[in-house]
Amino acid sequence: MALTGFCGSRQLLDRHMTEDRQVPLRTWANSCVLKERRVFAEGEEVGSGQHYKPAQESRWVQRLPISAEDGIIMDYAPQGEPTSSDVYEEEALLKYLNRLPGPLSFQELMPGLLRREVEVAISKLGLLFDKTYAWDIFSDMMRSQLLCTLPNADLPKPFTDTTRAILVDWLIQVHEVFQFSEETLYLTVHLLNRALRLIKVSISGLQLLGVVCLFLAAKREECLLPEVSELCYLMENAYSKKQLLRMERRVLIGLKFDLYHCPPLHFLLISASIARCSDKVVWMARYLLELSLLEGRCVVYLPAQLAGAALRLARKILQEAAAPEAEMAWCIASSIHIGSEAVLLSIMQIMAIAAARAQTRETRATFIKFSTVQTLHVSMHPALKAAPGLLGLSCPQT
Amino acid sequence: MAQEVGLQYEPVAEIGGGAYGTVYKARDRDSGQFVALKSVRVQTNQDGLPLSTVREVALLKRLEQFDHPNIVRLMDVCATLRTDQETKVTLVFEHVDQDLRTYLEKVPAPGLPVDKIRDLMQQLLCGLAFLHTNRVLHRDLKPENILVTSRGQVKLADFGLARIYSCHMALTPVVVTLWYRSPEVLLQSTYATPVDIWSTGCIFAEMFRRKPLFCGDSEADQLGKIFAVIGLPAEDQWPTDVTLSHHNFSPQSPRPITDCVPDITEKGAELLLKMLTFDPLKRISALNALDHPFFSE
């Protein structure tokens, strides 16, 4: 089965994993694959370099040929690592940019420059698609993200932003337990945001709704699904299996099976790659981006805006000194951050306040998640407490 | 929205065209528009709706946002619980009166003019290029899955549904035609977008011949009929780790394609051979096919 665009790609994130993080993840993934689907390991040799998302099916179901069961299209010409000519081209491009005469010429060249940079970035991020499709896919991301926002941040009674934040925080912990991809987390919260407004549930049904959104996101994105009984256990068996499966059907019908999401994380990684940001800046930006999942007000912003704000704020907090080439690259990356400066500033303020409070608030799963060595301890950076001050806000009481 | 399709859609007739389940023509009570209801029963086991169903239907919803002129429109989705173990998923598509099979059967002798074939093929490839650009395989291209409106507009249908229906197929004896399947599928090798190009080539030939090109009744028989036309490929082109060995087939040389498709033009024959290339890596893509001189004659 095909994945739409490349939002389903898992490779996108591996690039930014630190070395010691990658090994355990790979070991875990391999052991699961070998244990659950031994036949799949053989198929893997045929389609070298491909990524498999085997669907779990009942044992009695007649097994289709291996390739037919794959979750993704098998590419006959998989994209290899960027060659040295790509590196040379990249360096030449930046040097050329540095000698541009003036803003007018720069503006005229911008669309072409952005296209080249996007193609290089997508190649470097190791996506499944070859460079031929990169710009089309990116253009589609820019257009389709308009469908991924909500018209306003209002929640139906009796829910409040606090209620929602507690649930999202808990889902982040559950997501961590299952070691799902980051895309699954962003899709989960996206589905939850929509479901809360489309499906009538009571306070007592809120947790069930959240779990079902995670379950559906996993069906959309993951190779291995959690057992329904595991999910019920995590909710301390407050709901039965039957209730969970009934809610699944209600959510799918309410959302009309519309499960597409264009995660802001993808915009962030593309922008960061174009802007040549350091790993530390990228992890800080990812931290700020995940904090925005807890903020109900952020549902009205475009994914590219959220990503742009997170990246800008991360650079501001870490105060990375930039070489002239990097500044030029940042200008190109910034053109992705559509929307006014005022909008980006609003988002940055929300993120800055959230980051300043993250350690002390009740909902701090994200703070803990990003305090590890794998994430370069970004959530513990001392400058975060004073982050609102960088944006002209008074620091909140801690 | 309605939980039951019956509340919103009034059945008009059973069309029955699908190999995998019943298809109804119905009228939308709100708009008065005709729709095609395609229902499939999926096993709702302990994991709820199967992952394949969720992904496939979500994909169809995703493609709907593009509103491509050569893709059949998915207007609604409903899911109802029949028993604890079975859920009925109903996909509501726009209704198109005839498929390409019916269309070709109605064509009087001496067959379709080449200009008409060119137009149909151009639309078919345009829709296919769209699917492939979105990393979607149709996987079951055949005249029955290609709809033609009264104004001659071509719409691809039933793409991606094979996996949703696969659960159902396991329970019923359904014969799925092999005639449009590519060699790599018949050999159970790895496959990708080129499988749809092969099917398109078979359909292209059929537009001229007004009968199918390769009519095998088993995998080996189908392959034998293919090699009788394009010749047995060299052993180094044979995929590894496949079900049938190169030695299972007797050596054969390619025959002129015009022997099988006598009315095709020179440029058309050239394009057809690029579509019916054994090696999927060398087979022409939908996008490149649209640039072929056949379409600018």
Side-chain angles (χ1 to χ4, degrees):
Chain A
M1 185 50 241
L3 297 171
T4 56
F6 62 91
C7 294
S9 173
R10 301 185 62 106
Q11 253 184 317
L12 197 63
L13 298 181
D14 290 345
R15 174 83 180 179
H16 287 275
M17 293 288 190
T18 52
E19 276 305 315
D20 43 340
R21 168 73 175 187
Q22 277 179 315
V23 174
L25 182 64
R26 202 179 280 129
T27 302
W28 172 83
N30 288 345
S31 66
C32 287
V33 170
L34 290 173
K35 177 181 179 182
E36 298 286 337
R37 303 179 63 89
R38 182 165 302 275
V39 66
F40 211 71
E42 299 165 10
E44 195 166 2
E45 294 163 10
V46 178
S48 62
Q50 301 308 304
H51 292 261
Y52 295 83
K53 293 194 171 188
Q56 282 194 314
E57 294 179 13
S58 302
R59 211 160 301 165
W60 47 263
V61 172
Q62 179 183 332
R63 195 159 295 282
L64 297 171
I66 293 172
S67 50
E69 289 179 309
D70 296 344
I72 59 173
I73 290 175
M74 312 281 288
D75 278 318
Y76 282 100
Q79 179 74 22
E81 288 299 316
T83 62
S84 55
S85 65
D86 282 341
V87 175
Y88 175 81
E89 177 183 293
E90 183 183 324
E91 293 303 320
L93 175 61
L94 280 184
K95 286 184 164 61
Y96 171 70
L97 286 176
N98 215 28
R99 296 196 304 271
L100 285 178
L104 178 61
S105 298
F106 184 75
Q107 284 170 10
E108 287 171 351
L109 284 166
M110 181 60 86
L113 293 175
L114 177 60
R115 176 171 185 150
R116 287 165 65 94
E117 286 294 324
V118 164
E119 287 171 354
V120 170
I122 289 180
S123 297
K124 287 172 70 179
L125 291 166
L127 301 176
L128 289 174
F129 306 93
D130 62 71
K131 200 181 284 188
T132 311
Y133 290 101
W135 183 248
D136 285 344
I137 290 163
F138 179 74
S139 301
D140 175 60
M141 284 173 66
M142 293 295 283
R143 180 160 48 95
S144 296
Q145 65 172 324
L146 301 173
L147 304 166
C148 296
T149 59
L150 300 181
N152 60 66
D154 300 338
L155 282 166
K157 292 174 181 174
F159 305 119
T160 65
D161 283 340
T162 302
T163 311
R164 178 188 164 281
I166 291 170
L167 176 60
V168 171
D169 183 74
W170 181 74
L171 289 172
I172 290 171
Q173 298 175 58
V174 175
H175 168 268
E176 192 90 340
V177 165
F178 287 118
Q179 299 188 54
F180 287 153
S181 71
E182 293 295 288
E183 283 87 352
T184 299
L185 176 61
Y186 282 89
L187 178 57
T188 298
V189 177
H190 172 71
L191 297 178
L192 175 67
N193 289 336
R194 288 170 57 213
L196 276 171
R197 292 155 170 90
L198 290 171
I199 297 165
K200 193 173 176 60
V201 298
S202 60
I203 280 279
S204 61
L206 186 62
Q207 190 182 29
L208 180 61
L209 179 65
V211 160
V212 163
C213 289
L214 177 68
F215 192 43
L216 285 174
K219 284 188 171 179
R220 171 73 171 74
E221 293 285 335
E222 299 293 336
C223 302
L224 299 175
L225 291 180
E227 299 268 345
V228 171
S229 53
E230 277 179 279
L231 296 172
C232 291
Y233 171 78
L234 285 171
M235 296 186 286
E236 297 172 12
N237 293 307
Y239 311 93
S240 66
K241 280 190 188 181
K242 195 161 187 172
Q243 283 175 297
L244 193 150
L245 296 184
R246 181 168 177 273
M247 179 64 82
E248 181 195 42
R249 210 166 50 256
R250 286 185 66 201
V251 172
L252 279 172
I253 294 172
L255 300 183
K256 290 187 179 293
F257 279 82
D258 190 351
L259 307 183
Y260 174 73
H261 182 49
C262 186
L265 184 56
H266 287 176
F267 283 109
L268 190 158
L269 293 171
I270 292 174
S271 293
S273 179
I274 293 173
R276 279 66 166 172
C277 293
S278 70
D279 285 348
K280 185 127 192 177
V281 164
V282 175
W283 279 112
M284 178 65 78
R286 288 174 70 164
Y287 171 55
L288 297 169
L289 192 59
E290 188 165 306
L291 285 176
S292 75
L293 292 176
L294 294 152
E295 304 296 324
R297 289 171 292 170
C298 288
V299 300
V300 300
Y301 297 118
L302 294 170
Q305 291 169 335
L306 292 167
L311 205 52
R312 289 186 180 209
L313 183 55
R315 282 178 31 127
K316 209 178 262 285
I317 289 170
L318 295 176
Q319 293 176 11
E320 265 196 347
E325 289 87 7
E327 277 308 314
M328 187 63 67
W330 172 256
C331 287
I332 300 175
S334 295
S335 64
I336 296 176
H337 310 153
I338 58 183
S340 66
E341 288 293 318
V343 167
L344 292 179
L345 181 59
S346 296
I347 304 173
M348 289 165 74
Q349 287 172 346
I350 295 171
M351 289 177 172
I353 293 172
R357 293 175 174 167
Q359 183 166 12
T360 57
R361 71 195 298 186
E362 180 185 357
T363 56
R364 60 196 214 116
T366 297
F367 169 83
I368 295 170
K369 175 175 170 180
F370 282 85
S371 65
T372 63
V373 62
Q374 292 93 334
T375 63
L376 309 184
H377 306 290
V378 288
S379 66
M380 298 171 67
H381 196 281
L384 284 173
K385 284 187 163 52
L390 298 173
L391 305 173
L393 299 170
S394 60
C395 295
Q397 300 298 322
T398 57
Chain B
M1 58 156 275
Q3 293 284 315
E4 288 280 353
V5 296
L7 294 181
Q8 184 171 350
Y9 304 102
E10 177 189 18
V12 172
E14 181 177 338
I15 308 173
Y20 306 108
T22 314
V23 184
Y24 287 95
K25 180 180 179 180
R27 188 197 307 271
D28 186 333
R29 294 178 201 270
D30 292 338
S31 64
Q33 183 176 358
F34 283 118
V35 297
L37 303 180
K38 300 191 175 184
S39 298
V40 60
R41 297 193 299 272
V42 298
Q43 296 301 306
T44 312
N45 54 24
Q46 55 195 2
D47 291 326
L49 276 175
L51 183 151
S52 59
T53 302
V54 171
R55 290 189 182 191
E56 296 284 343
V57 180
L59 172 70
L60 294 177
K61 287 291 296 184
R62 166 72 178 133
L63 294 181
E64 179 59 24
Q65 289 159 3
F66 292 88
D67 197 19
H68 193 280
N70 299 120
I71 302 294
V72 71
R73 294 204 57 217
L74 172 67
M75 303 166 71
D76 203 356
V77 187
C78 313
T80 53
L81 191 67
R82 291 171 55 88
T83 68
D84 277 353
Q85 285 81 42
E86 196 174 75
T87 297
K88 185 171 85 166
V89 178
T90 301
L91 305 174
V92 184
F93 290 97
E94 67 174 308
H95 179 265
V96 179
D97 267 325
Q98 64 184 347
D99 57 36
L100 186 61
R101 168 80 61 211
T102 307
Y103 180 90
L104 291 179
E105 282 168 0
K106 290 179 179 175
V107 175
L112 283 173
V114 67
D115 281 352
K116 189 57 187 176
I117 292 177
R118 183 176 300 119
D119 175 58
L120 293 172
M121 278 298 293
Q122 188 157 37
Q123 294 188 64
L124 170 51
L125 286 165
C126 188
L128 200 56
F130 168 75
L131 290 183
H132 290 175
T133 301
N134 283 275
R135 315 304 301 174
V136 176
L137 299 187
H138 190 294
R139 284 197 289 165
D140 196 26
L141 264 182
K142 53 193 179 185
E144 289 85 352
N145 287 338
I146 299 169
L147 308 179
V148 188
T149 71
S150 52
R151 290 177 292 103
Q153 190 173 355
V154 170
K155 289 174 181 273
L156 297 184
D158 277 350
F159 50 89
L161 296 183
R163 283 180 59 84
I164 299 177
Y165 292 129
S166 62
C167 296
H168 192 65
M169 279 179 68
L171 301 176
T172 55
V174 174
V175 176
V176 176
T177 180
L178 304 174
W179 300 348
Y180 305 91
R181 292 197 172 182
S182 64
E184 64 268 27
V185 171
L186 296 163
L187 290 166
Q188 295 181 40
S189 179
T190 58
Y191 63 87
T193 52
V195 301
D196 289 334
I197 298 300
W198 178 276
S199 306
T200 301
C202 297
I203 293 163
F204 187 26
E206 189 165 336
M207 290 182 185
F208 285 101
R209 288 161 52 94
R210 285 181 292 153
K211 56 185 177 179
L213 181 59
F214 305 120
C215 301
D217 52 27
S218 72
E219 275 83 359
D221 184 44
Q222 182 72 22
L223 284 163
K225 289 186 157 65
I226 290 170
F227 297 147
V229 172
I230 68 172
L232 182 66
E235 189 154 9
D236 60 356
Q237 286 187 63
W238 203 260
T240 56
D241 296 324
V242 290
T243 53
L244 287 164
S245 162
H246 185 262
H247 304 297
N248 281 104
F249 301 92
S250 54
Q252 293 180 89
S253 298
R255 290 165 52 195
I257 198 67
T258 47
D259 282 5
C260 311
V261 196
D263 298 327
I264 198 168
T265 65
E266 181 187 341
K267 293 296 183 186
E270 187 181 289
L271 175 59
L272 179 59
L273 284 173
K274 289 180 186 294
M275 292 180 159
L276 299 180
T277 297
F278 178 82
D279 186 347
L281 289 175
K282 296 190 169 70
R283 210 172 292 154
I284 196 169
S285 71
L287 274 175
N288 288 340
L290 285 166
D291 287 332
H292 191 272
F294 171 70
F295 293 108
S296 51
E297 276 180 301

